[in-house]
Amino acid sequence: MEKETLKSIKFTDHPVSLEILNQLLIPHETQYMKIDSMVPGPGSSFSAFEAIKGMYTRGAPAIMLVGCFSVVVELYRVILNHESEVMGYDIDDISLFKSHLLSQIDTLVSSRPTAVNLSNACNEIREVIKSFKGSNLKDLYNEILGFARSLYESDLRSNMQIGSHGKRYIYDELLKENFSGDFAVMTICNTGSLATSGYGTALGIIRALYHGENEQLHLPFKMSHVYSLETRPYNQGSRLTAYELKHDGIPFTLISDSMASFLIESLAGSSKDRKAGLDDCPVKFIIVGADRIAKNGDFANKIGTFQLALIASLYPSVKFIVAAPTTTIDRNICCGADIKVELRKMEEFAEVKGAEVRMNGTVVKDPEDGHVILKTVRVAPSGIDIWNPSFDVTPHRLVDAIVTEDCVYTKSSEGVFSL
Ligand code: MRU
């Protein structure tokens, strides 16, 4: 039985309310935060821009959805409060309001520049705003509300389809090579419910594989283990993916990013010694998400993804799979060289944030309010130079398959993807 997956975004329109799961507190606490505007400004206490830039919400599809719902919240706020006067123009002057809204959307999109989903969706919202000829802001609100809602529902549907297409591809590959027995998969970052509307992309495939128990009864193989990379420097793997896998009861082992090649080699080899402490089945697939896919299949994903693709390319028995909805494809760029990679603050690398623990390993809670006490510790000398790209770009030649909700793309005999 699949457990209900975790919800990173809660939106209602009666009354309008947008809340996000504060992912900075996961795995220690479940706390939702209210988003009351699109970007910081007068009358706003917590905006989507701050939530996205500050990594309270992250993952390309989740960023897109929070951003789009925040446009709805923003419009509602203006309609409700007649804030236009405060902002220096008349509510009747729709064209001035529209240009103000468009410039707020530009700011919102700049919050995380690599993930393209938000920017793709905002381009559609921009078109709705530009072509809006009415005089009642409520009509514009309803149009954008409808758009955001359908985006959310279609992301959820896409994830389920990605899960089932990815599972089918994996079964076919294993059948082709007459593989039998247990196998493992490896993943990086967090691509699950927390990074999307629910279920997940790469983690969605892993969920589909694990929960396909009935099919596995008739198949000679079974996915029995997941290796999750901790994903330095921000630890989305150890904080978020480990939390989701534990929540779903999927057997997994957390490893550091630097252990990936030794683990694959140890499991592929015959030395019993090397496999000590590991589930004795080979890693057959590395499954990752994407933040932007160029037309030729080059793609940006969490830093550390490129090296996984290089490792897989050295092992003919390990296939490298990218899982993403079509909203992650950027048809305006030909190749990975055109992808802007976000550089994050040095502190995110030099400092580690976590829950304070007692000598016996239990997490310390504030006796007054019962909340976990988060501490930040520095793990590098101060005043040094640090390079902290949030993503890397993997060339398509290292990719075996790109799984979307529409289909599984594989390369032609010339090594070309037709996305
Ligand atoms: O910096 P993050 O946590 O937003 O990075 C997320 C990733 O790299 C994910 O793999 C990607 O967004 C796909 S999420 C379904």
Side-chain angles (χ1 to χ4, degrees), residues 37-203:
S37 66
M38 200 187 337
V39 295
S44 144
S45 28
F46 189 51
S47 67
F49 178 90
E50 292 163 291
I52 295 169
K53 193 159 184 73
M55 305 278 259
Y56 294 84
T57 212
R58 26 70 45 211
I63 290 171
M64 166 187 81
L65 294 167
V66 169
C68 290
F69 279 125
S70 79
V71 182
V72 176
V73 167
E74 187 67 40
L75 272 165
Y76 184 73
R77 194 166 78 115
V78 172
I79 292 167
L80 204 69
N81 299 339
H82 293 274
E83 274 183 11
S84 52
E85 287 95 3
V86 184
M87 289 189 287
Y89 56 83
D90 196 287
I91 188 123
D92 296 329
D93 190 344
I94 298 276
S95 73
L96 203 54
F97 175 72
K98 277 163 58 174
S99 58
H100 176 70
L101 201 59
L102 289 170
S103 92
Q104 285 184 311
I105 291 175
D106 291 343
T107 308
L108 175 70
V109 170
S110 70
S111 55
R112 296 289 308 273
T114 303
V116 76
N117 313 53
L118 174 62
S119 145
N120 277 346
C122 280
N123 283 341
E124 294 196 43
I125 293 184
R126 280 190 187 99
E127 287 314 309
V128 172
I129 296 171
K130 284 184 196 157
S131 61
F132 180 74
K133 298 277 180 280
S135 57
N136 189 342
L137 276 188
K138 280 199 184 122
D139 295 335
L140 182 60
Y141 163 84
N142 281 328
E143 270 198 61
I144 296 174
L145 171 65
F147 173 77
R149 274 204 180 292
S150 72
L151 206 59
Y152 184 91
E153 281 150 23
S154 97
D155 188 64
L156 202 52
R157 260 195 320 275
S158 294
N159 289 348
M160 304 304 285
Q161 279 157 347
I162 288 169
S164 98
H165 290 161
K167 180 176 71 173
R168 190 68 259 162
Y169 169 78
I170 286 174
Y171 285 176
D172 288 347
E173 286 303 306
L174 294 170
L175 288 170
K176 254 196 263 172
E177 62 168 277
N178 279 324
F179 181 85
S180 63
D182 286 3
F183 68 93
V185 302
M186 184 177 274
T187 192
I188 186 167
C189 197
N190 173 261
T191 59
S193 300
L194 299 172
T196 61
S197 54
Y199 203 66
T201 56
L203 207 56

